[in-house]
Amino acid sequence: AEASNTPSELPRLLKKTMSLAIAVTAAGMLFVLLAAPTLLGLFGAGYAQESGTLLRLLAVAAMVAAPNYVLDVAVNVSGYRGGFLVTNVLGTGSLLVLLTMLSSAGPAGSGAAWVFGQACYLLVALTVWRTCSSRSRMRGETTGVDPVAQPLS
């Protein structure tokens, strides 16, 4: 949101935000992956057994979801309203299709659908971002940054 006042700062802010989002999410994911049996065991052994896979899959999905949210904000702040709409419609649509297809496989199927759905959403978001950024560069604007082409560190 800071970049909405100074669009030229978007590349630096996007890089910083993406790095922080990934680092915080990775720490949380590792904690959940390691502590899942203990955390779920608080609700009983049967519950821990039945829901452990789902919780682990959702933790992995968070690693893919974090960049989605950052890219959504970047596209929106950049003023690419059409790109923002496309990202959300196609990304959410792919998520819902996968959830519908895999939910019959039980909780683990729903978890797998969420992981793959978030990955599809990320591919859509990256594609939209790169397209919007390319159009900005062609018009001579300096608000776009390509998070794929520029390393995060």
Side-chain angles (χ1 to χ4, degrees):
E2 289 179 38
S4 61
N5 294 324
T6 53
S8 62
E9 288 291 305
L10 183 59
R12 182 186 63 80
L13 292 170
L14 179 59
K15 187 188 279 189
K16 179 180 176 183
T17 303
M18 191 69 79
S19 297
L20 288 171
I22 290 171
V24 168
T25 305
M29 180 194 70
L30 287 174
F31 172 77
V32 170
L33 290 175
L34 296 173
T38 304
L39 293 172
L40 295 172
L42 297 172
F43 300 102
Y47 187 84
Q49 180 69 28
E50 294 293 321
S51 59
T53 301
L54 176 60
L55 182 59
R56 287 184 182 98
L57 286 169
L58 293 176
V60 170
M63 280 304 297
V64 184
N68 289 343
Y69 295 119
V70 174
L71 285 171
D72 259 355
V73 170
V75 169
N76 195 25
V77 165
S78 296
Y80 306 129
R81 302 292 184 247
F84 182 73
L85 181 64
V86 167
T87 299
N88 283 281
V89 168
L90 292 179
T92 302
S94 63
L95 246 166
L96 292 174
V97 166
L98 285 163
L99 279 171
T100 302
M101 290 172 50
L102 295 174
S103 63
S104 62
S110 295
W114 193 255
V115 171
F116 292 122
Q118 289 292 338
C120 288
Y121 195 110
L122 181 58
L123 290 174
V124 169
L126 286 170
T127 302
V128 167
W129 178 252
R130 291 186 85 167
T131 301
C132 292
S133 294
S134 294
R135 288 182 183 161
S136 285
R137 284 191 296 274
M138 285 190 297
R139 288 192 307 257
E141 297 171 7
T142 59
T143 59
V145 62
D146 187 342
V148 176
Q150 295 186 1
L152 292 175
S153 55

